[in-house]
Amino acid sequence: PRRALAAPRCAIEALAGGCAAALGLADDDALAGAEWWIQDVAWNERPKAYHADCDVAMRDGVGTRTFPAMASVFYVDGERGGGATAAFDQTTASEAGEETASGLWPETPERVFACEVRKNRLMAFEGDRWHGVLANEGGFRGQRVTVLVNWWRERPSGARNLPNRFVSPTRTARLGKCVPVEPCVVKRASYEDDRAAWEAQEMPAVAGQSVVEFDYRRG
């Protein structure tokens, strides 16, 4: 619940509250709260497929889908090789009120953002965006551990309150200062230049950059 962002009961709620402040969400009166979960993925597991986070529920006999206001990935472990997160400036076609062959809108993205794993790094993007994890790189042989936090304006149907066994009343946790990292902008003539790499969930070749914006807009 939203009140836990200001008065966290465990380290992850403190993380969510600190991230909300860094992203300008802490004073958003329309915010219902934050949903969080942990992913712990081995180096030889398949990367998380592209998807958009959403809540699917039946209302008056009709299936409805809502999206978080903001989505985020906080890297806990998997330093330098655990598989970057990629976020596309696309949403589902149904959300946009459109019909496309790919089921996404726009049909091809104009921009894609990729953020490689660095411990204590936070990546955030609009909650309805198509995103996923890219293939493991660099001979990494460890665990890719992330805390995923979504901020919602309406509580999702599957969300549950923090169980009492996770409450740590005698401990305090605090998020350190957040330092923005500007992406390296890589302009391409067309999305087709990198389509094969993205569809294989691989990072297009960019030497020495860990936060990249691929710009496919013409002009």
Side-chain angles (χ1 to χ4, degrees):
R2 184 179 174 186
R3 64 179 181 275
L5 299 179
R9 297 161 295 171
C10 67
I12 294 182
E13 286 191 347
L15 169 67
C19 292
L23 296 170
L25 297 171
D27 297 325
D28 186 344
D29 292 335
L31 199 69
E35 170 197 27
W36 61 264
W37 65 102
I38 297 171
Q39 286 185 351
D40 186 350
V41 182
W43 64 272
N44 56 351
E45 293 185 59
R46 292 178 61 87
K48 181 72 175 179
Y50 296 136
H51 63 286
D53 296 338
C54 64
D55 179 47
V56 180
M58 294 294 294
R59 296 179 182 176
D60 299 324
V62 178
T64 62
R65 201 164 41 168
T66 55
F67 298 86
M70 185 80 73
S72 72
V73 180
F74 183 81
Y75 295 119
V76 177
D77 208 352
E79 187 79 357
R80 302 183 184 276
T85 302
F88 299 75
D89 68 342
Q90 293 171 290
T91 188
T92 59
S94 57
E95 170 72 2
E98 304 285 347
E99 291 186 10
T100 65
S102 66
L104 298 174
W105 183 260
E107 183 76 49
T108 57
E110 293 188 335
R111 295 187 297 167
V112 182
F113 296 87
C115 180
E116 291 187 350
V117 179
R118 295 289 187 275
K119 189 178 292 188
N120 293 330
R121 175 175 282 177
L122 172 71
M123 179 186 185
F125 45 91
E126 292 180 70
D128 63 351
R129 292 305 185 247
W130 198 243
H131 64 282
V133 179
L134 303 184
N136 174 37
E137 295 182 348
F140 177 74
R141 293 294 182 271
Q143 298 290 122
R144 181 187 190 272
V145 183
T146 52
V147 177
L148 296 309
V149 183
N150 287 344
W151 288 272
W152 293 83
R153 300 199 189 286
E154 181 178 338
R155 183 185 175 113
S157 58
R160 298 292 181 268
N161 289 335
L162 183 74
N164 287 333
R165 67 181 181 274
F166 293 127
V167 175
S168 303
T170 61
R171 299 181 181 180
T172 58
R174 212 173 32 170
L175 186 70
K177 182 179 180 181
C178 291
V179 179
V181 177
E182 291 296 325
C184 170
V185 179
V186 177
K187 294 192 70 68
R188 303 285 212 222
S190 167
Y191 179 71
E192 297 304 319
D193 294 345
D194 297 326
R195 179 186 291 275
W198 292 126
E199 290 184 349
Q201 289 184 239
E202 296 176 352
M203 175 83 85
V206 180
Q209 303 297 330
S210 65
V211 181
V212 186
E213 173 189 342
F214 293 87
D215 188 344
Y216 301 107
R217 295 172 293 184
R218 296 180 179 180

